[in-house]
Amino acid sequence: MSYVRSLIWFWLIYQCAVTSLVYQHTVYQRRLNPTYDNGTTPILSSTVPTFQACINKCHNQPPCDSLVFDIVTLKCSLYEGKTVEEEITINQIYHQVLNKTVHRDIIEYAQYLCSGKSPGYIYNETVPVCYKIDPGPRTLVEAVSFCGESGGHLLQIDTERKQRLVENLRLEKTESISKYRVDGKKTGGKWTFLDGTPITVFFWYPGEPANNFIDGASSIALRVGHQGKWDDINATWTHGSICEKDIKFD
């Protein structure tokens, strides 16, 4: 059984005096027994009032490839990929995205939101992510402040798509910079993002992390020439930065 969700948005961009029509069309198919893995985590999990609301959430999240809705707890979980966290029960509904088509104007609008008021930011529609690379030497505290000045934060590599993105970046080495900071810090023996979220999937370069720093002083960077794989670095040493800015369509 297939389920179709379509939506038309009208954006009025006053700065550019342009009216833009955005159309998105998503086709879902219900599956009874999807593959499950306890190591899989949803990209978004929240309580919603109806199954339709869960469908809407997936529809508005570009990385969403499948969803699980619990008709008893009203919990809606969105996944990147077809594999879910646990075996589907009789109280749960599982749908896969068969096809998602987005009118080109939404990409242009996202590019506008990404770089329109923040020079240097680039929008990658595949991930999707809005990011910028800056070679200025900064400590972890300074890098966080620098990214925050443009409404962003250090790049949080929390999906395989983001990791594939950084693996294809052409990071430039300068006289003083050979590494670029991304989000992540080791505190109390555990690696977390700076917002406190535990890091569950790691993409270390072979031999890393070296664990040469005292607790609380380790952070994460990408070393030039290491194909986007992670390196642990001292939080007080100066390195380049990769910032990320969240795009909100509301």
Side-chain angles (χ1 to χ4, degrees):
M1 180 178 65
S2 296
Y3 184 97
V4 178
R5 166 67 175 162
S6 300
L7 185 63
I8 296 178
W9 292 294
F10 290 91
W11 304 105
L12 183 58
I13 307 174
Y14 293 99
Q15 294 86 342
C16 301
V18 174
T19 300
S20 175
L21 177 65
V22 177
Y23 173 78
Q24 180 169 307
H25 178 84
T26 309
V27 180
Y28 303 87
Q29 184 174 43
R30 183 170 183 175
R31 297 290 180 85
L32 298 179
N33 297 301
T35 303
Y36 63 95
D37 182 347
N38 291 335
T40 301
T41 55
I43 57 175
L44 181 67
S45 183
S46 62
T47 301
V48 296
T50 63
F51 172 64
Q52 178 63 53
C54 189
I55 285 285
N56 292 345
K57 280 187 173 292
C58 183
H59 179 73
N60 293 323
Q61 289 283 334
C64 179
D65 295 317
S66 59
L67 64 89
V68 175
F69 177 71
D70 193 304
I71 61 176
V72 175
T73 65
L74 303 181
K75 180 180 179 181
C76 173
S77 300
L78 310 184
Y79 294 87
E80 181 179 8
K82 311 300 183 184
T83 302
V84 297
E85 190 174 13
E86 54 191 15
E87 187 174 8
I88 299 299
T89 69
I90 193 172
N91 295 324
Q92 295 175 322
I93 302 171
Y94 172 75
H95 272 56
Q96 288 184 359
V97 174
L98 293 185
N99 182 51
K100 183 177 290 189
T101 303
V102 182
H103 193 281
R104 191 67 196 178
D105 278 2
I106 195 173
I107 304 300
E108 295 173 357
Y109 185 62
Q111 290 171 341
Y112 165 78
L113 292 176
C114 175
S115 58
K117 297 181 179 180
S118 305
Y121 275 91
I122 300 170
Y123 183 70
N124 181 291
E125 63 192 67
T126 303
V127 176
V129 67
C130 173
Y131 71 96
K132 89 172 167 181
I133 304 169
D134 190 278
R138 296 179 178 86
T139 65
L140 177 60
V141 171
E142 292 169 341
V144 170
S145 177
F146 169 73
C147 293
E149 290 173 0
S150 56
H153 51 84
L154 282 171
L155 177 67
Q156 190 174 104
I157 305 177
D158 51 3
T159 67
E160 290 189 7
R161 289 190 186 187
K162 282 187 182 178
Q163 178 59 29
R164 288 196 295 269
L165 170 71
V166 299
E167 289 176 3
N168 289 295
L169 292 180
R170 298 184 64 178
L171 300 177
E172 296 184 3
K173 186 175 183 179
T174 69
E175 291 185 1
S176 58
I177 296 299
S178 62
K179 302 176 185 179
Y180 288 78
R181 292 188 175 281
V182 294
D183 193 351
K185 185 177 182 180
K186 187 177 182 181
T187 305
K190 297 181 180 180
W191 287 97
T192 67
F193 293 116
L194 296 178
D195 63 5
T197 303
I199 301 177
T200 57
V201 180
F202 299 86
F203 301 93
W204 296 112
Y205 187 78
E208 300 291 343
N211 295 315
N212 292 330
F213 312 113
I214 62 174
D215 186 54
S218 291
S219 52
I220 300 175
L222 311 178
R223 184 194 294 264
V224 176
H226 280 190
Q227 295 78 47
K229 295 298 190 292
W230 300 3
D231 188 2
D232 66 331
I233 56 173
N234 193 303
T236 62
W237 295 353
T238 56
H239 299 284
S241 308
I242 304 180
C243 301
E244 175 183 2
K245 188 169 68 170
D246 298 326
I247 298 296
K248 298 181 180 179
F249 292 96
D250 50 18

